[in-house]
Amino acid sequence: MIDCKPVNVTTAFVYRRASRSGLFYHLRIPKSLLRFPFRRMRIVGLTGGIASGKSTVSNLFKANGIPVVDADVIARNVLKKGSGGWKRVVAAFGEEILLPSREVDRPKLGQMVFSSDSKRQLLNKLMAPYISSGIFWEILKQWVKGAKVIVVDIPLLFETKMDKWTKPVVVVWVSQETQLNRLMERDGLSEEDARNRVMAQMSLDLKRSRADIVIDNNGGLDELHQQFDKVLSEIRRPLTWIEFWRSRQGAFSILGLVTSGLLVCKQLN
Ligand SMILES: CC(C)(COP(=O)(O)OP(=O)(O)OC[C@H]1O[C@@H](n2cnc3c(N)ncnc32)[C@H](O)[C@@H]1O)[C@@H](O)C(=O)NCCC(=O)NCCS
Ligand SMILES: Nc1ncnc2c1ncn2[C@@H]1O[C@H](COP(=O)(O)OP(=O)(O)OP(=O)(O)O)[C@@H](O)[C@H]1O
């Protein structure tokens, strides 16, 4: 038999009113459904600078069973041939950014936008709505699946002000020298191109000053793993109810609850 006990005072009130009126006479509302809006999920923000080691850290989270929403992957999907983002970007930048296959020539577009502030801002403006809605849906999917903790890996977390939605914010920090060397080595870039990419982002020192947790990734991988283990035990703890109510998730739950409560009451009167 389905357990349909109410889960807290507010839902109990709505539930009782609805039951008394006979609205739910034939309905059996499962407890899990009543609890749904109150599912607490910790959304950890992971950021840093280009080539500071975010993907290396997010792979460690994945290896430990924590789902990761990767903004770079979403941004890549948004630019796939024929998608809405692709159409807008091609219309603005012209067909010269396309390969013969009509996919975007990413290195070419990168060269254009990382050497011009105005072109980069234009690209950001065109892609932002697609990227943020992609991130939102991925987070929602994890929430529906019942994840207690997820990590969102967003290189431009502070620049796009999405840090307000995440707690804690983890910044993977390296010195500029290490960053440039790793970037040049990984992507085979000249020093000038690597500098342009680093300068296109908020300074890593400023990001570090705004972090809740800093991972210093100047050392080797062993050192990184040691720091990661501490971070993992800190973030694995699900949100407490106090943290939940203080978070934007809590605000959304209240809004959802008040709206549905009003709708039910309107039906009853
Ligand atoms: C310009 C593009 C085509 C270059 O593609 P490429 O394959 O060479 O790089 P990739 O996408 O792997 O990005 C590598 C890194 O560059 C940095 N970066 C990417 N876009 C930006 C940007 N608009 N501003 C500053 N840094 C950026 C990030 O640190 C990212 O991790 C691509 O980066 C892109 O589409 N950028 C715009 C979308 C965006 O803002 N992505 C960041 C996600 S929040
Ligand atoms: N502790 C480390 N020691 C040595 N190399 C490292 C370390 N951490 C990361 N790297 C290397 O540095 C490079 C950049 O790391 P990674 O790709 O994880 O950075 P990222 O922040 O995800 O970059 P992007 O912003 O471009 O997505 C990679 O080649 C990676 O293998």
Side-chain angles (χ1 to χ4, degrees):
M1 155 136 167
I2 303 167
D3 180 1
C4 44
K5 271 183 214 141
V7 287
N8 70 20
V9 178
T10 334
T11 44
F13 171 75
V14 175
Y15 182 85
R16 250 195 330 266
R17 288 291 308 265
S19 309
R20 264 193 223 136
S21 75
L23 186 74
F24 290 167
Y25 187 73
H26 295 293
L27 294 177
R28 286 288 195 193
I29 305 292
K31 194 171 171 181
S32 58
L33 202 65
L34 289 172
R35 273 205 179 128
F36 207 67
F38 301 101
R39 259 190 194 170
R40 288 164 295 159
M41 181 173 76
R42 182 183 290 283
I43 307 173
V44 178
L46 176 66
T47 191
I50 184 164
S52 70
K54 297 178 300 295
S55 307
T56 310
V57 172
S58 71
N59 285 337
L60 294 175
F61 280 117
K62 284 183 216 158
N64 282 277
I66 301 210
V68 175
V69 174
D70 185 332
D72 278 343
V73 171
I74 292 168
R76 255 167 242 149
N77 290 335
V78 160
L79 265 194
K80 286 242 169 86
K81 183 171 78 180
S83 65
W86 179 89
K87 285 181 191 148
R88 291 187 78 188
V89 171
V90 175
F93 285 85
E95 300 239 334
E96 75 247 35
I97 60 156
L98 295 180
L99 293 164
S101 64
R102 298 191 65 76
E103 286 291 353
V104 169
D105 184 342
R106 300 178 64 85
K108 190 170 184 182
L109 182 58
Q111 192 72 39
M112 281 166 108
V113 301
F114 290 118
S115 54
S116 157
D117 284 352
S118 57
K119 286 187 178 156
R120 193 175 59 258
Q121 277 158 17
L122 174 62
L123 181 68
N124 289 349
K125 203 171 112 193
L126 295 173
M127 290 179 69
Y130 297 96
I131 298 177
S132 40
S133 63
I135 293 173
F136 173 78
W137 285 115
E138 287 301 317
I139 293 176
L140 195 66
K141 255 193 244 168
Q142 293 300 335
W143 182 75
V144 170
K145 278 188 194 166
K148 297 267 185 286
V149 178
I150 66 161
V151 169
V152 288
D153 173 353
I154 310 184
L156 308 180
L157 185 79
F158 291 117
E159 290 92 331
T160 52
K161 300 189 172 41
M162 284 194 235
D163 57 305
K164 288 183 191 139
W165 294 86
T166 61
K167 192 82 187 164
V169 172
V170 180
V171 169
V172 185
W173 178 81
V174 283
S175 68
Q176 206 179 84
E177 193 192 346
T178 308
Q179 189 179 17
L180 285 170
N181 287 336
R182 287 187 184 158
L183 179 55
M184 287 190 290
E185 197 176 319
R186 187 194 63 184
D187 293 352
L189 294 178
S190 67
E191 188 172 338
E192 191 196 351
D193 284 346
R195 272 189 197 283
N196 281 341
R197 286 177 192 233
V198 169
M199 294 307 168
Q201 301 183 338
M202 182 190 281
S203 104
L204 250 179
D205 288 345
L206 182 55
K207 289 185 180 178
R208 181 174 64 169
S209 72
R210 294 176 59 181
D212 297 308
I213 300 176
V214 178
I215 296 181
D216 179 340
N217 191 25
N218 283 296
L221 290 173
D222 285 346
E223 270 179 59
L224 177 65
H225 286 198
Q226 278 171 19
Q227 294 179 69
F228 174 79
D229 288 341
K230 284 190 199 145
V231 175
L232 187 63
S233 57
E234 270 185 62
I235 66 127
R236 251 198 180 138
R237 186 176 52 80
L239 281 189
T240 62
W241 280 110
I242 292 178
E243 286 170 321
F244 173 74
W245 288 121
R246 280 192 188 148
S247 74
R248 292 184 178 219
Q249 271 182 70
F252 268 112
S253 295
I254 293 173
L255 190 70
L257 188 75
V258 170
T259 316
S260 48
L262 286 174
L263 286 174
V264 170
C265 289
K266 216 172 149 196
Q267 293 278 329
L268 301 180
N269 292 326

